Amino acid sequence: MHMLPRVAVLLVFGLLAWPSESWACSCAMQPDVRESLKTARKEAAVIFHGRVDDIQEDFGKDFEGPRTGQVTFTVLETFKGKAAPQRFLRLFEGCEYYFDKGVEYLVYANGNEQKGLTASLCSRTQPAQGASVEMESLRSGTLPRRPVAMRRQHVSCTRCDVEAVAQTLVCGDKTPCEPSEGKTSEDALKEGRPFWERAVGYKTQEERALFGVGQDGRAFQLVQRPDFGAKEACEQRVLQRRCERLSLNPAGHGARVTCTGPSEEEALCEEKATRRVSWGPVEAPPRGTCHWIWADAPLCEWDSETVPLKPGAPTRPGLVCTTGPRGNMFPCQVVPDAAATPPAENSP
């Protein structure tokens, strides 16, 4: 299964929506894989596979924005547009795609060389590691076949959530146990009072971090991995690192938190320890909407009703869709034959 980007988990029916006003972004669904790829190829000014070599960004005075700068790529392969050894993408405030240095991406860029190229969250820009099928489609100029059958993998587990772990460390059984920020956290740290704060500025899709001081007076950092980068359900882990000393800087004065004398990471919660799997029968393709973020791995709206295939109906290619704690949209994977998927009852 592919890694799910942060935007994928914020799907609502018909739209993609960011909860933050400053990151307001809504994207149309892509319900058909062939049409999605055709439209993306047509609308992009440049399509290339490249590695991020440098990210230069400026948040303005006291981090009050707007965010500007550019991302520098070494181009490894060009699928549309004039070939070039390097590409520069302009950063902009709003619905932009967030890149990580050193990572390779398949980039669908809009704009032009004169005014600057940009990449939006609504484009098919994605990490190259999970885009091999899409890049092969771009090379060959062909479109993948639509799946004709489906099989569901039912996954369950006891959920891990980094904020719930932080609340237990800081407040025990007492509720509510809300996060603090800014001077409130700084005062609590000076006075030796328990608190927890969400770490901001994490651009990676693969972890969510918190820090604070627990009821026992010990400073901690928590991280949840792979967070929205999960390949499938029940993969989350919450890891703790203790700090001999925790330091906080006001906004605009360097890194927000410094952990002095960090301990080794230890797992406080692992979903795989309680993971259970079973398989359903081969059935008709999803009747709800599928969002084809990847050419071989859509997110599909779940329908609780099973619709059996008609006798003799084709099963190639097929989809394997995984249930789990993801709201009403579930990750699926294109497979050569839905009927060939091996069943596995109650296997970890």
Side-chain angles (χ1 to χ4, degrees):
M1 287 278 188
H2 289 246
M3 296 171 62
L4 296 175
R6 189 179 302 277
V7 68
V9 189
L10 298 172
L11 280 163
V12 294
F13 188 74
L15 292 174
L16 293 174
W18 286 95
S20 166
E21 191 173 308
S22 62
W23 278 17
C25 181
S26 6
C27 312
M29 291 281 279
Q30 305 173 50
D32 181 272
V33 59
R34 294 170 65 88
E35 291 302 318
S36 175
L37 291 173
K38 284 167 61 177
T39 300
R41 295 175 193 182
K42 180 180 178 181
E43 293 181 351
V46 177
I47 305 174
F48 67 91
H49 168 204
R51 181 186 63 249
V52 176
D53 287 340
D54 188 40
I55 301 175
Q56 296 179 348
E57 51 190 344
D58 184 358
F59 292 90
K61 186 178 179 181
D62 294 330
F63 287 81
E64 293 181 357
R67 178 173 178 262
T68 59
Q70 73 174 15
V71 182
T72 303
F73 288 84
T74 290
V75 178
L76 305 175
E77 188 173 5
T78 299
F79 302 107
K80 181 180 179 181
K82 185 179 179 180
Q86 277 191 324
R87 289 284 182 188
F88 304 93
L89 263 60
R90 177 172 56 83
L91 299 177
F92 63 97
E93 192 74 19
C95 191
E96 68 172 293
Y97 192 96
Y98 272 73
F99 297 98
D100 292 315
K101 187 175 179 179
V103 178
E104 294 181 15
Y105 292 89
L106 170 61
V107 179
Y108 288 77
N110 296 315
N112 55 59
E113 299 289 354
Q114 289 72 37
K115 295 184 178 180
L117 295 169
T118 61
S120 166
L121 275 171
C122 295
S123 72
R124 294 194 63 82
T125 298
Q126 59 193 278
Q129 184 179 5
S132 58
V133 170
E134 188 153 340
M135 288 195 289
E136 183 56 39
S137 176
L138 287 164
R139 291 187 193 102
S140 65
T142 60
L143 295 170
R145 293 170 58 195
R146 296 182 180 93
V148 295
M150 174 180 72
R151 200 167 191 186
R152 307 193 207 202
Q153 185 187 49
H154 300 278
V155 179
S156 63
C157 61
T158 301
R159 295 191 63 181
C160 292
D161 180 78
V162 67
E163 295 197 3
V165 173
Q167 290 166 359
T168 299
L169 291 175
V170 173
C171 302
D173 296 330
K174 297 179 181 178
T175 57
C177 186
E178 300 297 328
S180 60
E181 60 182 12
K183 195 171 183 303
T184 303
S185 297
E186 294 158 22
D187 289 344
L189 182 62
K190 290 177 183 177
E191 297 166 10
R193 292 186 284 108
F195 77 95
W196 67 279
E197 180 177 319
R198 298 184 180 102
V200 298
Y202 273 74
K203 299 172 190 174
T204 175
Q205 301 159 358
E206 299 179 31
E207 64 181 35
R208 182 161 44 115
L210 310 172
F211 58 85
V213 174
Q215 286 183 314
D216 58 3
R218 300 175 67 191
F220 64 83
Q221 288 183 309
L222 296 177
V223 63
Q224 179 168 329
R225 301 188 184 117
D227 198 31
F228 295 126
K231 299 176 184 179
E232 56 185 60
C234 295
E235 285 200 328
Q236 301 298 330
R237 304 176 73 213
V238 176
L239 305 173
Q240 175 182 245
R241 185 169 63 176
R242 292 289 188 174
C243 307
E244 293 180 4
R245 182 170 175 268
L246 198 68
S247 303
L248 298 181
N249 292 317
H253 292 77
R256 171 61 173 161
V257 59
T258 301
C259 176
T260 303
S263 67
E264 295 292 326
E265 287 185 338
E266 62 171 327
L268 298 186
C269 183
E270 297 196 58
E271 289 183 347
K272 281 189 175 181
T274 60
R275 191 174 188 266
R276 295 292 180 268
V277 176
S278 63
W279 289 91
V282 179
E283 56 184 293
R287 292 185 295 170
T289 301
C290 287
H291 183 61
W292 288 87
I293 299 172
W294 299 280
D296 61 338
L299 286 173
C300 293
E301 188 180 21
W302 197 255
D303 190 331
S304 58
E305 183 181 356
T306 299
V307 181
L309 278 180
K310 295 180 180 179
T315 59
R316 302 172 61 92
L319 280 179
V320 169
C321 296
T322 304
T323 66
R326 295 190 186 279
N328 71 329
M329 301 296 289
F330 295 86
C332 300
Q333 180 77 44
V334 176
V335 294
D337 189 347
T341 305
E345 294 186 2
N346 297 325
S347 61

